[in-house]
Amino acid sequence: MADKTMTAEEAVSRLESGMTLGIGGWGARRKPMALVRALLRSPVTDLTVVSYGGPDVGMLAAAGRIRRLVAAFVTLDSIPLEPHYRAARESGSLELTEIDEAMFLWGLRAAAHRLPFLPVRAGLGSDVMRINPGLRTVTSPYDDGETFVAMPALRLDAALVHVNRADRLGNGQYLGPDPYFDDLFCAAADAAYVSCERIVDTAELTKEAPPQSLLITRQVVTGVVEAPGGAHFTSCAPDYGRDEEFQRRYASMPWPRFAERYLAGDERAYRAAAEEDA
Amino acid sequence: MSSESGKGTRTDDGGATRAEYCVIACAETWRDAGEILASPMGPIPSVGARLARLTFSPDLLLTDGEALIVRPDGTVEGWLPYRAHLELVTGGRRHVMMGASQLDRFGNQNISCIGDWARPTRQLLGVRGAPVNTLNNPTSYWIPRHSRRVFVEKVDLVCGVGYDRAAGARHHRLARVVTDLGVLDFATPDHAMRLVSVHPGVSVEQVREATGFDLVVPDRVPYTREPTAAELRLIREVIDPDGIRAREVAG
């Protein structure tokens, strides 16, 4: 069976400008930040990013890599509003497809199930319909005759997610309380790159955790990246919590200074700089 | 005009504070709600939901704000990750109390941005789950600072759907709006917002003044009910001993 391990750089080298990229996690929680940092060191740009947005969106927006964002919100959780995303919106530097959280989930599900759309009871009556003029409705063919939004599939060229453990084949395990939507991101994508805190032998995965913690099946995974601290500064329960101090620095530092200090070198340099400044 | 609401803030020892009237008003949102999930957003609604659970609505389910369903003492009784939470919303077994950056007379709510959506003057959170909430489960709102900035004639972007735009959607129900000044609902023939009660120390005029549209005001506006001694003790000693409520609403 294929060993799918690769470096973050190798994973990112398979991405191309103009792609539609799904990013897992939620807000400032279990974001694949090592992969995002590798992406920021690459020349890839002009992206359509699909995300329950956190600092992944803020950083890629600040670096001018996002042409279009598909999201229901962008937040840092303990800092409610993402400052770099905010600046990008207020300066008009990115296009936005703003949809409801449930519409987002139904869109991922439709993509994972190879359906063109799924009906969802959300969006009607709200301005989501006005700001997304391409959205269509569908009427129930049964006696109820109710009208729904036909949420189009959010098919992705690639997905980036971060989990606690994985094996070399691409089986991914989460050990925290919430899977978020990471398995759906992978299933909705043509290629999925899974970073993890630690790569372990397959048998190790279920030694101390139940089989239902195996969130991602290798079938939908293209590459596995071992990235200890790979979600930093977002949380990766139970391995570590959010680095609130670093997040405050990220939110308050001018972007060029932040990028120069933390993103000029490789992942090891990032860790060293973060530790030095702690 | 009100015949019951007058002037003067209660300052006698042991009397309830404004924040505590807000807690009571939020708690009442979940009275007789049965075995549903209370989804409070913000400190005072959270204290209110726990108070309701510990007193008159013992069947309520509470979340820890993340992936767990917990009893008031923190005992875990269920698992509710985001995807299951969204299913619970669409299944309707939930009553959410959301915030609002803007709210209009029919209950349209905005948390996305201020100004033109295409190029906002202030980007806020985003529509989040407001569209799905308002079409699927009972929805209430909590406004910690009642002002003309929040209560506007027309919201800049409709996230949560109000009565005039819901077109009678089968599961649409906006229950109440609790603010630092009083309680409002939509129990009028055309579902325009109506003043239900003012918190002691607040005048009807004060509410009118802080509202940017013409509010429906009945001839008699009662005060928000007094907390019982047992409720005050629960709020002060059990649920919120650190007084987080007073940091959200002074007085």
Side-chain angles (χ1 to χ4, degrees):
Chain A
M1 277 190 276
D3 181 327
K4 294 176 186 165
T5 56
M6 58 178 71
T7 65
E9 282 65 32
E10 283 168 334
V12 164
S13 74
R14 301 184 180 209
L15 306 179
E16 290 168 25
S17 294
M19 274 187 167
T20 296
L21 192 60
I23 303 181
W26 195 102
R29 306 174 197 194
R30 219 177 70 226
K31 283 286 174 180
M33 297 305 284
L35 293 174
V36 169
R37 286 187 284 269
L39 184 56
L40 285 164
R41 290 191 293 266
S42 82
V44 173
T45 191
D46 193 35
L47 293 167
T48 293
V49 170
V50 179
S51 176
Y52 285 93
D56 52 331
V57 168
M59 290 170 86
L60 291 168
R65 306 300 182 92
I66 304 179
R67 181 177 59 77
R68 173 176 293 278
L69 174 70
V70 180
F73 60 84
V74 183
T75 181
L76 297 174
D77 295 358
S78 52
I79 300 173
L81 303 179
E82 218 294 345
H84 301 298
Y85 165 66
R86 237 181 133 166
R89 276 283 285 151
E90 290 168 14
S91 71
S93 68
L94 62 73
E95 293 172 47
L96 179 62
T97 296
E98 185 168 359
I99 52 173
D100 167 89
E101 277 173 48
M103 292 169 69
F104 191 116
L105 170 56
W106 266 249
L108 285 181
R109 284 218 169 109
H113 292 262
R114 299 192 298 179
L115 289 167
F117 72 90
L118 276 172
V120 54
R121 191 186 281 121
L124 296 168
S126 80
D127 274 332
V128 164
M129 304 308 286
R130 171 170 68 84
I131 61 181
N132 294 285
L135 278 178
R136 297 287 176 262
T137 58
V138 63
T139 305
S140 167
Y142 299 105
D143 290 344
D144 60 278
E146 192 175 344
T147 299
F148 303 96
V149 168
M151 178 59 204
L154 289 171
R155 192 71 205 172
L156 311 168
D157 292 314
L160 308 178
V161 305
H162 184 78
V163 294
N164 301 90
R165 307 282 179 268
D167 66 13
R168 310 178 77 83
L169 308 174
N171 295 303
Q173 178 177 50
Y174 80 113
L175 298 172
D178 204 315
Y180 307 119
F181 305 94
D182 288 5
D183 50 331
L184 279 170
F185 274 100
C186 293
D190 294 339
Y193 301 94
V194 178
S195 62
C196 63
E197 290 298 310
R198 200 148 51 82
I199 290 178
V200 297
D201 288 338
T202 305
E204 283 289 311
L205 291 169
T206 45
K207 261 197 182 141
E208 285 172 19
Q212 58 267 37
S213 62
L214 295 169
L215 180 64
I216 297 162
T217 308
R218 62 184 165 83
Q219 284 186 307
V220 294
V221 175
T222 308
V224 181
V225 177
E226 187 169 57
H232 183 268
F233 50 90
T234 70
S235 61
C236 188
D239 290 316
Y240 47 89
R242 185 180 306 128
D243 186 341
E244 297 287 358
E245 195 190 314
F246 190 97
Q247 178 164 285
R248 275 193 294 274
R249 202 173 315 143
Y250 160 76
S252 58
M253 251 170 124
W255 172 255
R257 261 182 56 207
F258 181 90
E260 190 192 330
R261 174 69 183 135
Y262 297 109
L263 302 171
D266 61 8
E267 186 70 4
R268 192 172 301 174
Y270 168 81
R271 298 294 300 179
E275 275 162 37
E276 201 178 298
D277 297 345
Chain B
M1 192 59 215
S2 164
S3 59
E4 294 182 25
S5 56
K7 288 189 174 188
T9 308
R10 298 173 62 94
T11 52
D12 49 314
D13 285 350
T17 64
R18 178 71 61 78
E20 286 159 350
Y21 286 113
C22 292
V23 168
I24 290 296
C26 288
E28 287 289 343
T29 302
W30 291 288
R31 185 182 284 276
D32 302 326
E35 202 163 19
I36 62 136
L37 181 78
S39 272
M41 298 185 185
I44 283 181
S46 299
V47 176
R50 291 180 66 193
L51 180 68
R53 164 71 178 76
L54 287 168
T55 55
F56 47 77
S57 296
D59 292 333
L60 282 183
L61 282 69
L62 302 173
T63 70
D64 68 341
E66 304 242 348
L68 303 174
I69 300 175
V70 292
R71 298 214 303 236
D73 65 357
T75 303
V76 176
E77 63 166 329
W79 182 52
L80 196 68
Y82 278 105
R83 61 179 68 185
H85 207 136
L86 285 171
E87 276 168 19
L88 203 143
V89 169
T90 49
R93 293 176 184 274
R94 176 177 181 261
H95 187 144
V96 62
M97 185 170 240
M98 295 195 287
S101 303
Q102 293 177 327
L103 202 60
D104 75 14
R105 75 176 69 220
F106 294 110
N108 294 293
Q109 170 250 30
N110 176 23
I111 44 172
S112 171
C113 67
I114 301 297
D116 179 11
W117 177 84
R119 178 78 183 270
T121 52
R122 261 175 82 82
Q123 174 64 41
L124 305 174
L125 195 58
V127 299
R128 272 215 65 174
V132 71
N133 281 339
T134 45
L135 286 199
N136 289 278
N137 58 193
T139 301
S140 291
Y141 291 104
W142 160 240
I143 312 292
R145 203 163 301 161
H146 194 134
S147 74
R148 285 171 173 263
R149 266 179 62 181
V150 177
F151 288 87
V152 295
E153 194 66 55
K154 189 174 184 300
V155 303
D156 291 344
L157 192 90
V158 176
C159 303
V161 181
Y163 276 103
D164 59 330
R165 297 175 60 114
R170 67 179 57 168
H171 305 298
H172 179 263
R173 182 165 86 85
L174 305 183
R176 57 165 48 190
V177 180
V178 179
T179 81
D180 59 335
L181 300 183
V183 178
L184 308 105
D185 69 8
F186 301 91
T188 55
D190 65 347
H191 295 294
M193 203 186 292
R194 172 186 82 137
L195 184 58
V196 173
S197 70
V198 289
H199 304 323
V202 177
S203 70
V204 169
E205 210 38 57
Q206 209 179 327
V207 177
R208 272 210 182 101
E209 195 52 42
T211 305
F213 53 80
D214 219 5
L215 201 56
V216 178
V217 180
D219 291 342
R220 289 181 69 247
V221 178
Y223 282 126
T224 304
R225 80 162 171 88
E226 293 293 323
T228 66
E231 285 171 337
L232 269 187
R233 192 190 62 78
L234 279 171
I235 295 168
R236 293 173 180 179
E237 294 171 25
V238 178
I239 305 171
D240 184 27
D242 297 332
I244 290 165
R245 63 194 180 281
R247 274 175 254 158
E248 195 178 24
V249 171

